[in-house]
Amino acid sequence: MNEQIQEVLALTNRWVKRLSREKFSMLFTLIQPMLFWLIFFGNLFQRAADVQVVQAPNYMSFLAAGVVVMTVLNNGLAGGVDLLFDKENGFLERLMATPIRRSSVILSRFLFVMAITAMQILVILGVAFLFGVSAETGILGIALILVIGMLFGVGLTAISMAMAFSVKSHGDFFSVLGFLSLPMIFLSSALVPLAAMPGWMKSLAFFNPMTWVIDAIRPLILTGWSEALPHVAIALVVLAVFDGLCLYGGARAFKRSVG
């Protein structure tokens, strides 16, 4: 166990060093969701949104939970891209030939993606606070938001790594990534409440796990524990099923690729 921990930490450190060499990439990775979605999009529709429809003090408050989950979505679905590049340039094959546990490669990637995602969530909540949006459930609520976000990110990262091991090129990977991300965003309650959606979109959003995650995080920010806890309980059940299916599929893709 101690050896595997060392392997996971060493491989995670590799991902960190790779990102630290790409300073512009690291900067935009942390700032992009907060800048484009929360500040630009939130302020753009601040006056256009009907507070009675969104059932929030303002659109910025309503959007905060959606931006948090969209950040988890984008990070998770992009989590396998570095593994894909390692596979394409032959490094992954050489790594698999070393005397390390193959699971350490996967665990290190999960750890790295979850750490970056947690940092982004905290940055988003901090910027939202500057615009007057604070979590009604306090520090404990923020911690629960991180837990729910990480659980959602686990399944998404598993999907991404399954794609990385299955597709033939990074062009195919990014095509599938674009196809998945936008429908998941628009067929969820990230930008508008379910009640404001056309009937067919609302039906599809019901089967989107992102919807249940947002509906659990939003009351943690807007209303408080009494309304949030039932939504959190439902979200945890949905995430248990979602993560289980994604991890199973990711494991099968990994075994097919590396044996």
PDB file of all heavy atoms in Angstrom, residues 73-84 109 113 153-167 173 177 180 246 250:
ATOM      1  N   LEU A  73     -17.972  19.607 -14.966  1.00  0.00           N
ATOM      2  CA  LEU A  73     -18.234  18.904 -16.225  1.00  0.00           C
ATOM      3  C   LEU A  73     -17.072  19.064 -17.202  1.00  0.00           C
ATOM      4  O   LEU A  73     -16.557  18.072 -17.748  1.00  0.00           O
ATOM      5  CB  LEU A  73     -19.524  19.438 -16.854  1.00  0.00           C
ATOM      6  CG  LEU A  73     -19.878  18.894 -18.241  1.00  0.00           C
ATOM      7  CD1 LEU A  73     -20.373  17.470 -18.148  1.00  0.00           C
ATOM      8  CD2 LEU A  73     -20.924  19.784 -18.920  1.00  0.00           C
ATOM      9  N   ASN A  74     -16.657  20.297 -17.429  1.00  0.00           N
ATOM     10  CA  ASN A  74     -15.595  20.550 -18.411  1.00  0.00           C
ATOM     11  C   ASN A  74     -14.269  19.941 -17.972  1.00  0.00           C
ATOM     12  O   ASN A  74     -13.548  19.350 -18.785  1.00  0.00           O
ATOM     13  CB  ASN A  74     -15.447  22.051 -18.638  1.00  0.00           C
ATOM     14  CG  ASN A  74     -16.636  22.652 -19.363  1.00  0.00           C
ATOM     15  OD1 ASN A  74     -17.266  21.995 -20.176  1.00  0.00           O
ATOM     16  ND2 ASN A  74     -16.963  23.885 -19.061  1.00  0.00           N
ATOM     17  N   ASN A  75     -13.935  20.066 -16.696  1.00  0.00           N
ATOM     18  CA  ASN A  75     -12.689  19.479 -16.200  1.00  0.00           C
ATOM     19  C   ASN A  75     -12.725  17.954 -16.282  1.00  0.00           C
ATOM     20  O   ASN A  75     -11.735  17.319 -16.666  1.00  0.00           O
ATOM     21  CB  ASN A  75     -12.438  19.908 -14.752  1.00  0.00           C
ATOM     22  CG  ASN A  75     -11.864  21.301 -14.664  1.00  0.00           C
ATOM     23  OD1 ASN A  75     -11.683  21.964 -15.670  1.00  0.00           O
ATOM     24  ND2 ASN A  75     -11.594  21.752 -13.470  1.00  0.00           N
ATOM     25  N   GLY A  76     -13.851  17.372 -15.890  1.00  0.00           N
ATOM     26  CA  GLY A  76     -13.954  15.918 -15.899  1.00  0.00           C
ATOM     27  C   GLY A  76     -13.859  15.349 -17.299  1.00  0.00           C
ATOM     28  O   GLY A  76     -13.115  14.389 -17.550  1.00  0.00           O
ATOM     29  N   LEU A  77     -14.607  15.940 -18.245  1.00  0.00           N
ATOM     30  CA  LEU A  77     -14.604  15.415 -19.605  1.00  0.00           C
ATOM     31  C   LEU A  77     -13.261  15.642 -20.300  1.00  0.00           C
ATOM     32  O   LEU A  77     -12.919  14.909 -21.241  1.00  0.00           O
ATOM     33  CB  LEU A  77     -15.721  16.066 -20.425  1.00  0.00           C
ATOM     34  CG  LEU A  77     -17.153  15.654 -20.056  1.00  0.00           C
ATOM     35  CD1 LEU A  77     -18.160  16.359 -20.942  1.00  0.00           C
ATOM     36  CD2 LEU A  77     -17.334  14.137 -20.165  1.00  0.00           C
ATOM     37  N   ALA A  78     -12.501  16.637 -19.856  1.00  0.00           N
ATOM     38  CA  ALA A  78     -11.165  16.862 -20.426  1.00  0.00           C
ATOM     39  C   ALA A  78     -10.078  16.142 -19.642  1.00  0.00           C
ATOM     40  O   ALA A  78      -8.897  16.233 -19.997  1.00  0.00           O
ATOM     41  CB  ALA A  78     -10.867  18.366 -20.464  1.00  0.00           C
ATOM     42  N   GLY A  79     -10.453  15.415 -18.601  1.00  0.00           N
ATOM     43  CA  GLY A  79      -9.469  14.811 -17.712  1.00  0.00           C
ATOM     44  C   GLY A  79      -8.598  13.756 -18.350  1.00  0.00           C
ATOM     45  O   GLY A  79      -7.479  13.507 -17.897  1.00  0.00           O
ATOM     46  N   GLY A  80      -9.060  13.138 -19.425  1.00  0.00           N
ATOM     47  CA  GLY A  80      -8.290  12.062 -20.051  1.00  0.00           C
ATOM     48  C   GLY A  80      -7.408  12.512 -21.193  1.00  0.00           C
ATOM     49  O   GLY A  80      -6.691  11.694 -21.777  1.00  0.00           O
ATOM     50  N   VAL A  81      -7.422  13.817 -21.500  1.00  0.00           N
ATOM     51  CA  VAL A  81      -6.712  14.263 -22.702  1.00  0.00           C
ATOM     52  C   VAL A  81      -5.204  14.051 -22.593  1.00  0.00           C
ATOM     53  O   VAL A  81      -4.543  13.662 -23.571  1.00  0.00           O
ATOM     54  CB  VAL A  81      -7.055  15.736 -23.013  1.00  0.00           C
ATOM     55  CG1 VAL A  81      -6.529  16.677 -21.936  1.00  0.00           C
ATOM     56  CG2 VAL A  81      -6.526  16.137 -24.380  1.00  0.00           C
ATOM     57  N   ASP A  82      -4.628  14.268 -21.425  1.00  0.00           N
ATOM     58  CA  ASP A  82      -3.180  14.070 -21.275  1.00  0.00           C
ATOM     59  C   ASP A  82      -2.804  12.597 -21.397  1.00  0.00           C
ATOM     60  O   ASP A  82      -1.733  12.262 -21.921  1.00  0.00           O
ATOM     61  CB  ASP A  82      -2.703  14.627 -19.937  1.00  0.00           C
ATOM     62  CG  ASP A  82      -2.610  16.149 -19.944  1.00  0.00           C
ATOM     63  OD1 ASP A  82      -2.533  16.712 -21.044  1.00  0.00           O
ATOM     64  OD2 ASP A  82      -2.612  16.767 -18.868  1.00  0.00           O
ATOM     65  N   LEU A  83      -3.671  11.714 -20.915  1.00  0.00           N
ATOM     66  CA  LEU A  83      -3.429  10.287 -21.101  1.00  0.00           C
ATOM     67  C   LEU A  83      -3.482   9.920 -22.581  1.00  0.00           C
ATOM     68  O   LEU A  83      -2.716   9.066 -23.047  1.00  0.00           O
ATOM     69  CB  LEU A  83      -4.456   9.464 -20.329  1.00  0.00           C
ATOM     70  CG  LEU A  83      -4.284   9.377 -18.811  1.00  0.00           C
ATOM     71  CD1 LEU A  83      -5.464   8.651 -18.191  1.00  0.00           C
ATOM     72  CD2 LEU A  83      -2.982   8.685 -18.460  1.00  0.00           C
ATOM     73  N   LEU A  84      -4.370  10.579 -23.320  1.00  0.00           N
ATOM     74  CA  LEU A  84      -4.460  10.323 -24.756  1.00  0.00           C
ATOM     75  C   LEU A  84      -3.171  10.741 -25.459  1.00  0.00           C
ATOM     76  O   LEU A  84      -2.645  10.018 -26.312  1.00  0.00           O
ATOM     77  CB  LEU A  84      -5.655  11.075 -25.346  1.00  0.00           C
ATOM     78  CG  LEU A  84      -5.827  11.006 -26.859  1.00  0.00           C
ATOM     79  CD1 LEU A  84      -6.005   9.572 -27.324  1.00  0.00           C
ATOM     80  CD2 LEU A  84      -7.015  11.855 -27.298  1.00  0.00           C
ATOM     81  N   ARG A 109      -4.299  10.331 -12.074  1.00  0.00           N
ATOM     82  CA  ARG A 109      -5.033  11.268 -12.931  1.00  0.00           C
ATOM     83  C   ARG A 109      -6.306  11.742 -12.249  1.00  0.00           C
ATOM     84  O   ARG A 109      -6.652  12.930 -12.320  1.00  0.00           O
ATOM     85  CB  ARG A 109      -5.356  10.582 -14.260  1.00  0.00           C
ATOM     86  CG  ARG A 109      -5.862  11.553 -15.331  1.00  0.00           C
ATOM     87  CD  ARG A 109      -4.838  12.611 -15.655  1.00  0.00           C
ATOM     88  NE  ARG A 109      -5.403  13.685 -16.444  1.00  0.00           N
ATOM     89  CZ  ARG A 109      -4.787  14.829 -16.708  1.00  0.00           C
ATOM     90  NH1 ARG A 109      -3.574  15.053 -16.246  1.00  0.00           N
ATOM     91  NH2 ARG A 109      -5.367  15.764 -17.439  1.00  0.00           N
ATOM     92  N   VAL A 113      -7.005  15.736 -11.411  1.00  0.00           N
ATOM     93  CA  VAL A 113      -8.190  16.417 -11.941  1.00  0.00           C
ATOM     94  C   VAL A 113      -9.085  16.908 -10.812  1.00  0.00           C
ATOM     95  O   VAL A 113      -9.600  18.037 -10.845  1.00  0.00           O
ATOM     96  CB  VAL A 113      -8.972  15.486 -12.890  1.00  0.00           C
ATOM     97  CG1 VAL A 113     -10.288  16.125 -13.320  1.00  0.00           C
ATOM     98  CG2 VAL A 113      -8.132  15.153 -14.121  1.00  0.00           C
ATOM     99  N   GLY A 153     -17.419  14.625 -10.582  1.00  0.00           N
ATOM    100  CA  GLY A 153     -16.201  14.641 -11.386  1.00  0.00           C
ATOM    101  C   GLY A 153     -15.589  13.268 -11.569  1.00  0.00           C
ATOM    102  O   GLY A 153     -14.963  12.994 -12.607  1.00  0.00           O
ATOM    103  N   VAL A 154     -15.740  12.385 -10.587  1.00  0.00           N
ATOM    104  CA  VAL A 154     -15.191  11.029 -10.701  1.00  0.00           C
ATOM    105  C   VAL A 154     -15.798  10.304 -11.904  1.00  0.00           C
ATOM    106  O   VAL A 154     -15.084   9.713 -12.724  1.00  0.00           O
ATOM    107  CB  VAL A 154     -15.441  10.238  -9.400  1.00  0.00           C
ATOM    108  CG1 VAL A 154     -15.206   8.744  -9.617  1.00  0.00           C
ATOM    109  CG2 VAL A 154     -14.531  10.738  -8.292  1.00  0.00           C
ATOM    110  N   GLY A 155     -17.110  10.345 -12.032  1.00  0.00           N
ATOM    111  CA  GLY A 155     -17.761   9.681 -13.154  1.00  0.00           C
ATOM    112  C   GLY A 155     -17.388  10.306 -14.486  1.00  0.00           C
ATOM    113  O   GLY A 155     -17.131   9.606 -15.472  1.00  0.00           O
ATOM    114  N   LEU A 156     -17.326  11.636 -14.531  1.00  0.00           N
ATOM    115  CA  LEU A 156     -16.982  12.324 -15.773  1.00  0.00           C
ATOM    116  C   LEU A 156     -15.553  12.028 -16.197  1.00  0.00           C
ATOM    117  O   LEU A 156     -15.268  11.824 -17.382  1.00  0.00           O
ATOM    118  CB  LEU A 156     -17.169  13.832 -15.585  1.00  0.00           C
ATOM    119  CG  LEU A 156     -18.606  14.313 -15.364  1.00  0.00           C
ATOM    120  CD1 LEU A 156     -18.618  15.758 -14.910  1.00  0.00           C
ATOM    121  CD2 LEU A 156     -19.435  14.139 -16.629  1.00  0.00           C
ATOM    122  N   THR A 157     -14.634  12.006 -15.230  1.00  0.00           N
ATOM    123  CA  THR A 157     -13.242  11.703 -15.545  1.00  0.00           C
ATOM    124  C   THR A 157     -13.105  10.270 -16.033  1.00  0.00           C
ATOM    125  O   THR A 157     -12.297   9.973 -16.926  1.00  0.00           O
ATOM    126  CB  THR A 157     -12.348  11.937 -14.317  1.00  0.00           C
ATOM    127  OG1 THR A 157     -12.554  13.273 -13.818  1.00  0.00           O
ATOM    128  CG2 THR A 157     -10.877  11.782 -14.665  1.00  0.00           C
ATOM    129  N   ALA A 158     -13.889   9.365 -15.465  1.00  0.00           N
ATOM    130  CA  ALA A 158     -13.881   7.977 -15.933  1.00  0.00           C
ATOM    131  C   ALA A 158     -14.342   7.898 -17.385  1.00  0.00           C
ATOM    132  O   ALA A 158     -13.773   7.152 -18.196  1.00  0.00           O
ATOM    133  CB  ALA A 158     -14.775   7.115 -15.043  1.00  0.00           C
ATOM    134  N   ILE A 159     -15.385   8.679 -17.742  1.00  0.00           N
ATOM    135  CA  ILE A 159     -15.843   8.729 -19.135  1.00  0.00           C
ATOM    136  C   ILE A 159     -14.725   9.237 -20.038  1.00  0.00           C
ATOM    137  O   ILE A 159     -14.456   8.685 -21.106  1.00  0.00           O
ATOM    138  CB  ILE A 159     -17.078   9.645 -19.261  1.00  0.00           C
ATOM    139  CG1 ILE A 159     -18.293   9.022 -18.563  1.00  0.00           C
ATOM    140  CG2 ILE A 159     -17.402   9.910 -20.733  1.00  0.00           C
ATOM    141  CD1 ILE A 159     -19.507   9.930 -18.536  1.00  0.00           C
ATOM    142  N   SER A 160     -14.056  10.311 -19.589  1.00  0.00           N
ATOM    143  CA  SER A 160     -12.993  10.913 -20.390  1.00  0.00           C
ATOM    144  C   SER A 160     -11.838   9.944 -20.608  1.00  0.00           C
ATOM    145  O   SER A 160     -11.310   9.821 -21.724  1.00  0.00           O
ATOM    146  CB  SER A 160     -12.480  12.181 -19.697  1.00  0.00           C
ATOM    147  OG  SER A 160     -11.475  12.810 -20.448  1.00  0.00           O
ATOM    148  N   MET A 161     -11.445   9.239 -19.550  1.00  0.00           N
ATOM    149  CA  MET A 161     -10.338   8.296 -19.704  1.00  0.00           C
ATOM    150  C   MET A 161     -10.748   7.091 -20.548  1.00  0.00           C
ATOM    151  O   MET A 161      -9.929   6.552 -21.297  1.00  0.00           O
ATOM    152  CB  MET A 161      -9.823   7.870 -18.326  1.00  0.00           C
ATOM    153  CG  MET A 161      -9.061   8.988 -17.624  1.00  0.00           C
ATOM    154  SD  MET A 161      -8.086   8.460 -16.210  1.00  0.00           S
ATOM    155  CE  MET A 161      -9.367   8.237 -14.994  1.00  0.00           C
ATOM    156  N   ALA A 162     -11.997   6.692 -20.455  1.00  0.00           N
ATOM    157  CA  ALA A 162     -12.481   5.618 -21.328  1.00  0.00           C
ATOM    158  C   ALA A 162     -12.400   6.048 -22.783  1.00  0.00           C
ATOM    159  O   ALA A 162     -11.996   5.263 -23.660  1.00  0.00           O
ATOM    160  CB  ALA A 162     -13.916   5.250 -20.959  1.00  0.00           C
ATOM    161  N   MET A 163     -12.766   7.300 -23.074  1.00  0.00           N
ATOM    162  CA  MET A 163     -12.642   7.808 -24.443  1.00  0.00           C
ATOM    163  C   MET A 163     -11.185   7.856 -24.873  1.00  0.00           C
ATOM    164  O   MET A 163     -10.843   7.525 -26.010  1.00  0.00           O
ATOM    165  CB  MET A 163     -13.269   9.197 -24.543  1.00  0.00           C
ATOM    166  CG  MET A 163     -14.774   9.239 -24.457  1.00  0.00           C
ATOM    167  SD  MET A 163     -15.457  10.839 -24.972  1.00  0.00           S
ATOM    168  CE  MET A 163     -14.670  11.955 -23.811  1.00  0.00           C
ATOM    169  N   ALA A 164     -10.298   8.298 -23.950  1.00  0.00           N
ATOM    170  CA  ALA A 164      -8.874   8.413 -24.280  1.00  0.00           C
ATOM    171  C   ALA A 164      -8.285   7.059 -24.672  1.00  0.00           C
ATOM    172  O   ALA A 164      -7.446   6.972 -25.567  1.00  0.00           O
ATOM    173  CB  ALA A 164      -8.114   8.993 -23.095  1.00  0.00           C
ATOM    174  N   PHE A 165      -8.726   5.991 -23.995  1.00  0.00           N
ATOM    175  CA  PHE A 165      -8.211   4.660 -24.301  1.00  0.00           C
ATOM    176  C   PHE A 165      -8.907   4.022 -25.490  1.00  0.00           C
ATOM    177  O   PHE A 165      -8.417   3.031 -26.039  1.00  0.00           O
ATOM    178  CB  PHE A 165      -8.343   3.752 -23.076  1.00  0.00           C
ATOM    179  CG  PHE A 165      -7.465   4.145 -21.926  1.00  0.00           C
ATOM    180  CD1 PHE A 165      -8.016   4.382 -20.676  1.00  0.00           C
ATOM    181  CD2 PHE A 165      -6.101   4.289 -22.096  1.00  0.00           C
ATOM    182  CE1 PHE A 165      -7.211   4.744 -19.611  1.00  0.00           C
ATOM    183  CE2 PHE A 165      -5.293   4.656 -21.042  1.00  0.00           C
ATOM    184  CZ  PHE A 165      -5.837   4.884 -19.791  1.00  0.00           C
ATOM    185  N   SER A 166     -10.040   4.575 -25.899  1.00  0.00           N
ATOM    186  CA  SER A 166     -10.841   3.938 -26.952  1.00  0.00           C
ATOM    187  C   SER A 166     -10.665   4.583 -28.323  1.00  0.00           C
ATOM    188  O   SER A 166     -10.684   3.879 -29.337  1.00  0.00           O
ATOM    189  CB  SER A 166     -12.328   3.958 -26.570  1.00  0.00           C
ATOM    190  OG  SER A 166     -12.547   3.276 -25.345  1.00  0.00           O
ATOM    191  N   VAL A 167     -10.536   5.922 -28.368  1.00  0.00           N
ATOM    192  CA  VAL A 167     -10.475   6.601 -29.667  1.00  0.00           C
ATOM    193  C   VAL A 167      -9.075   6.467 -30.264  1.00  0.00           C
ATOM    194  O   VAL A 167      -8.094   6.205 -29.560  1.00  0.00           O
ATOM    195  CB  VAL A 167     -10.857   8.087 -29.536  1.00  0.00           C
ATOM    196  CG1 VAL A 167     -12.269   8.222 -29.003  1.00  0.00           C
ATOM    197  CG2 VAL A 167      -9.877   8.844 -28.646  1.00  0.00           C
ATOM    198  N   PHE A 173     -11.271  12.480 -30.096  1.00  0.00           N
ATOM    199  CA  PHE A 173     -11.553  12.745 -28.688  1.00  0.00           C
ATOM    200  C   PHE A 173     -12.266  14.085 -28.525  1.00  0.00           C
ATOM    201  O   PHE A 173     -13.292  14.184 -27.850  1.00  0.00           O
ATOM    202  CB  PHE A 173     -10.251  12.732 -27.887  1.00  0.00           C
ATOM    203  CG  PHE A 173     -10.415  13.018 -26.419  1.00  0.00           C
ATOM    204  CD1 PHE A 173     -10.636  11.978 -25.525  1.00  0.00           C
ATOM    205  CD2 PHE A 173     -10.356  14.311 -25.936  1.00  0.00           C
ATOM    206  CE1 PHE A 173     -10.785  12.232 -24.172  1.00  0.00           C
ATOM    207  CE2 PHE A 173     -10.507  14.573 -24.575  1.00  0.00           C
ATOM    208  CZ  PHE A 173     -10.718  13.532 -23.700  1.00  0.00           C
ATOM    209  N   LEU A 177     -15.946  15.055 -27.201  1.00  0.00           N
ATOM    210  CA  LEU A 177     -16.021  15.964 -26.057  1.00  0.00           C
ATOM    211  C   LEU A 177     -16.993  17.109 -26.322  1.00  0.00           C
ATOM    212  O   LEU A 177     -17.845  17.432 -25.486  1.00  0.00           O
ATOM    213  CB  LEU A 177     -14.626  16.510 -25.755  1.00  0.00           C
ATOM    214  CG  LEU A 177     -14.480  17.394 -24.511  1.00  0.00           C
ATOM    215  CD1 LEU A 177     -14.710  16.579 -23.253  1.00  0.00           C
ATOM    216  CD2 LEU A 177     -13.096  18.040 -24.488  1.00  0.00           C
ATOM    217  N   LEU A 180     -20.626  15.933 -26.285  1.00  0.00           N
ATOM    218  CA  LEU A 180     -21.186  15.611 -24.973  1.00  0.00           C
ATOM    219  C   LEU A 180     -21.429  16.846 -24.112  1.00  0.00           C
ATOM    220  O   LEU A 180     -22.452  16.948 -23.430  1.00  0.00           O
ATOM    221  CB  LEU A 180     -20.253  14.658 -24.220  1.00  0.00           C
ATOM    222  CG  LEU A 180     -20.201  13.206 -24.683  1.00  0.00           C
ATOM    223  CD1 LEU A 180     -19.166  12.439 -23.881  1.00  0.00           C
ATOM    224  CD2 LEU A 180     -21.571  12.543 -24.540  1.00  0.00           C
ATOM    225  N   CYS A 246     -19.934   4.535 -14.805  1.00  0.00           N
ATOM    226  CA  CYS A 246     -18.803   5.152 -15.501  1.00  0.00           C
ATOM    227  C   CYS A 246     -17.485   4.470 -15.154  1.00  0.00           C
ATOM    228  O   CYS A 246     -16.638   4.238 -16.026  1.00  0.00           O
ATOM    229  CB  CYS A 246     -18.722   6.644 -15.164  1.00  0.00           C
ATOM    230  SG  CYS A 246     -20.089   7.617 -15.811  1.00  0.00           S
ATOM    231  N   GLY A 250     -15.078   2.632 -17.704  1.00  0.00           N
ATOM    232  CA  GLY A 250     -13.700   3.084 -17.809  1.00  0.00           C
ATOM    233  C   GLY A 250     -12.706   1.964 -17.566  1.00  0.00           C
ATOM    234  O   GLY A 250     -11.685   1.867 -18.254  1.00  0.00           O
TER     235      GLY A 250
END
